[in-house]
């Protein structure tokens, strides 16, 4: 059913048999429809904030049982109705809305007036592989960045219409610059939202990097052996830690090659070159040593091509080889592991630290976050906007994708 009604509903999920269907509802009568049809399961306060969820029943008439749903208010004043995916349940909810002068529209009509930001966020959302990633993208499909742009367009327009004095305009632009810088700082993480974080293990040969990688990943991905130099290439494996996709790289042990034959040294140098490239681009770097190489760790670290943006953790592996009188000397190394033991508590402590650092690489929830390079470039332009006209132009291009 379609009409010229100003309140619209659509099925946001695909048509067909599924466990859950999502119906979108927005427009001036949306809240009234919810008041008339939604019966919450608890006696909690009826006031709800965008993003919150409330379980209950959707009842079109008092004489019918109704449909069990989860209701979520949206930032634009609309709602998402999550219910059973069967056609009968979906059609019953849509029919109850049609009875209240709400038009059911197709997806193209529903999205016709949406900002390009929402469209870009939906494309990113489709490529998310974890709930942590999807939650950030979903905030943007629900309008977090759109609302931020509209808020600033309105503030600038009000100041312009009231012929605000130059001093007041300068203060407002300064506030916009500060706000835009915060958004850009989130965007540095947002544009990489769907990329796996790069976690690299580096250290001298035979300190147990491959065994440690096996423990982190949870299965035997690397080849391990007691002889030094077993890993001669960068072995990679994708995994997820704390809901964050991770590309784990086990690098060649870095050591001197003067004692090797020319052919052996050539292979060794190539392994070290590839290890150095992986280290340069790491988000997190684990520098692994063992008791016999502890006195070399400072010199080893100084020789690595570590970026200023890389988080570095030192790990003392094979800590069971420490003799008793040595333990107090190395208490300053926070992470001490025995990667050859499956139930080593040091591995659990290391995983908790990795989880904390990886979660910090994701943008904050419920905040405006640029999640494409186009969005980030325009947000950066806002940081230097020197007039209301320049700021408005960047904000509107960010919203529409079209330069004024």
């Amino acid at each position: 059913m379609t009409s010229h009604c100003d309140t619209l509903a659509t099925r946001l999920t695909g048509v067909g048999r599924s466990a859950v269907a999502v119906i979108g509802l927005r427009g001036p009568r949306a809240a009234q429809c919810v008041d008339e049809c939604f019966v919450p399961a608890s006696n909690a306060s009826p006031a709800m904030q965008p993003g919150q969820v409330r379980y209950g029943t959707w009842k079109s008439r008092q004489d019918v049982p109704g449909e069990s749903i989860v209701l979520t208010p949206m930032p634009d004043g609309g709602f998402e109705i999550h219910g059973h995916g069967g056609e009968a349940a979906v059609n019953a909810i849509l029919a109850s809305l049609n009875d209240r002068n709400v038009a059911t529209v197709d997806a193209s009509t529903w999205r016709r007036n949406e900002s390009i930001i929402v469209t870009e966020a939906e494309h990113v959302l489709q490529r998310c592989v974890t709930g942590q990633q999807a939650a950030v993208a979903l905030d943007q499909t629900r309008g977090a960045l759109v609302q931020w742009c509209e808020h600033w367009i309105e503030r600038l327009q009000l100041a312009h219409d009231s012929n605000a004095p130059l001093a007041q305009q300068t203060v407002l632009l300064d506030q916009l610059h500060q706000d835009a810088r915060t958004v850009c700082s989130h965007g540095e993480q947002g544009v990489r939202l769907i990329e796996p974080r790069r976690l690299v293990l580096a250290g001298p040969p035979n300190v147990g990097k491959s065994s440690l990688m096996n423990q982190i990943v949870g299965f035997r991905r690397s080849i391990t052996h007691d002889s030094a130099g077993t890993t001669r290439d960068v072995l990679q494996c994708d995994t997820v830690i704390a809901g964050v996709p991770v590309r784990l790289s086990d690098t060649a042990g870095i050591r001197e090659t003067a004692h090797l034959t020319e052919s052996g040294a050539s292979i060794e140098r190539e392994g070290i070159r590839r290890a150095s490239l992986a280290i340069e681009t790491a988000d997190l770097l684990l520098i692994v040593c063992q008791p016999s190489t502890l006195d070399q760790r400072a010199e080893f670290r100084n020789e690595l091509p570590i970026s200023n943006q890389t988080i570095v953790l030192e790990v003392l592996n094979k800590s069971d080889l420490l003799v008793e009188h040595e333990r107090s000397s190395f208490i300053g190394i926070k992470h001490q592991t025995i990667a050859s033991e499956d139930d080593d508590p040091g591995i659990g402590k290391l995983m908790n630290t990795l989880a904390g650092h990886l979660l910090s690489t994701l943008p904050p929830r419920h905040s405006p976050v640029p999640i494409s390079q186009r969005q980030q470039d325009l947000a950066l332009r806002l940081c230097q906007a020197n007039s209301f006209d320049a700021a408005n132009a960047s904000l509107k291009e960010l919203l529409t994708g079209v330069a004024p």
Side-chain angles (χ1 to χ4, degrees):
M1 172 184 174
T2 61
S3 75
H4 298 291
C5 301
D6 52 4
T7 302
L8 307 178
T10 192
R11 179 169 182 163
L12 296 173
T13 48
V15 177
R17 299 182 64 182
S18 60
V20 176
V22 181
I23 295 171
L25 171 65
R26 70 180 181 210
R29 289 180 49 80
Q32 182 179 341
C33 291
V34 169
D35 289 341
E36 293 176 1
C37 298
F38 178 62
V39 181
S42 68
N43 294 322
S45 169
M48 295 180 65
Q49 299 298 317
Q52 291 182 338
V53 297
R54 185 74 56 81
Y55 175 73
T57 303
W58 188 271
K59 300 185 71 172
S60 57
R61 300 195 310 268
Q62 293 299 320
D63 57 340
V64 297
E67 300 292 339
S68 296
I69 66 156
V70 172
L71 184 71
T72 303
M74 296 292 103
D76 62 0
F79 297 86
E80 283 185 0
I81 304 166
H82 299 241
H84 190 278
E87 289 301 298
V90 173
N91 290 336
I93 294 173
L94 290 175
S96 71
L97 293 170
N98 296 158
D99 291 342
R100 289 164 174 80
N101 199 31
V102 175
T104 299
V105 297
D106 58 24
S108 61
T109 302
W110 177 266
R111 292 183 170 88
R112 188 170 296 156
N113 296 322
E114 284 187 348
S115 165
I116 190 175
I117 293 173
V118 175
T119 303
E120 291 170 336
E122 288 173 344
H123 291 162
V124 171
L125 179 60
Q126 293 169 6
R127 297 168 62 190
C128 292
V129 296
T130 73
Q132 295 282 7
Q133 291 174 306
V136 176
L138 194 59
D139 287 338
Q140 308 318 307
T141 68
R142 290 173 170 173
L145 184 57
V146 171
Q147 298 288 328
W148 181 83
C149 291
E150 292 174 341
H151 164 77
W152 272 108
I153 289 173
E154 182 179 355
R155 288 190 66 181
L156 294 175
Q157 188 63 47
L158 286 172
H160 177 270
D161 292 346
S162 63
N163 293 316
L166 182 59
Q168 186 176 335
Q169 293 182 31
T170 301
V171 169
L172 190 57
L173 277 177
D174 287 343
Q175 292 173 351
L176 172 59
H177 294 160
Q178 182 177 354
D179 212 5
R181 283 192 291 269
T182 299
V183 169
C184 287
S185 69
H186 297 161
E188 291 175 1
Q189 300 167 323
V191 295
R192 296 188 57 216
L193 181 64
I194 55 178
E195 294 179 15
R197 299 301 180 256
R198 297 179 291 266
L199 173 57
V200 177
L201 283 71
N206 204 33
V207 295
K209 296 187 298 298
S210 297
S211 295
L212 189 58
M213 179 177 179
N214 290 336
Q215 289 283 14
I216 293 172
V217 175
F219 62 89
R220 289 183 62 84
R221 172 63 178 83
S222 297
I223 302 170
T224 62
H225 195 272
D226 288 339
S227 62
T230 303
T231 302
R232 292 274 49 85
D233 198 353
V234 177
L235 301 180
Q236 292 186 329
C237 183
D238 288 347
T239 188
V240 173
I241 299 175
V244 182
V246 175
R247 178 153 296 158
L248 195 61
S249 298
D250 175 17
T251 63
I254 298 177
R255 59 176 174 174
E256 291 294 332
T257 60
H259 64 289
L260 300 174
T261 65
E262 180 54 34
S263 60
S266 177
I267 295 172
E268 189 92 7
R269 284 194 295 268
E270 177 60 18
I272 293 172
R273 186 189 69 82
R274 296 184 184 187
S276 297
L277 288 174
I279 292 166
E280 287 177 358
T281 58
D283 295 300
L284 278 83
L285 175 64
L286 300 188
I287 298 180
V288 186
C289 59
Q290 65 167 328
S292 64
T293 63
L294 269 170
D295 57 345
Q296 308 166 25
R297 76 182 193 277
E299 180 182 358
F300 178 84
R301 176 170 178 165
N302 289 336
E303 293 176 351
L304 297 179
I306 303 173
S307 165
N308 292 333
Q309 284 73 47
T310 300
I311 299 169
V312 181
L313 299 177
E314 290 189 346
V315 180
L316 173 61
N317 193 35
K318 303 184 182 181
S319 59
D320 53 325
L321 299 182
L322 285 172
V323 296
E324 194 60 37
H325 73 274
E326 292 178 318
R327 294 188 181 278
S328 60
S329 303
F330 305 121
I331 197 170
I333 300 181
K334 179 179 178 181
H335 294 289
Q336 301 186 14
T337 59
I338 309 173
S340 58
E341 295 184 2
D342 291 338
D343 57 351
D344 173 38
I347 298 294
K349 182 179 179 181
L350 175 61
M351 293 299 294
N352 287 335
T353 299
L354 292 176
H357 285 304
L358 288 166
L359 286 172
S360 72
T361 69
L362 293 178
R365 290 292 317 281
H366 311 300
S367 300
V369 178
I371 55 176
S372 73
Q373 194 58 53
R374 183 197 73 86
Q375 297 174 11
Q376 179 70 349
D377 290 343
L378 286 164
L380 287 167
R381 191 191 301 174
L382 278 169
C383 296
Q384 284 87 40
N386 57 9
S387 68
F388 278 17
D389 287 344
N392 260 313
S394 294
L395 285 164
K396 289 178 180 178
E397 186 175 351
L398 181 54
L399 271 175
T400 66
V402 178

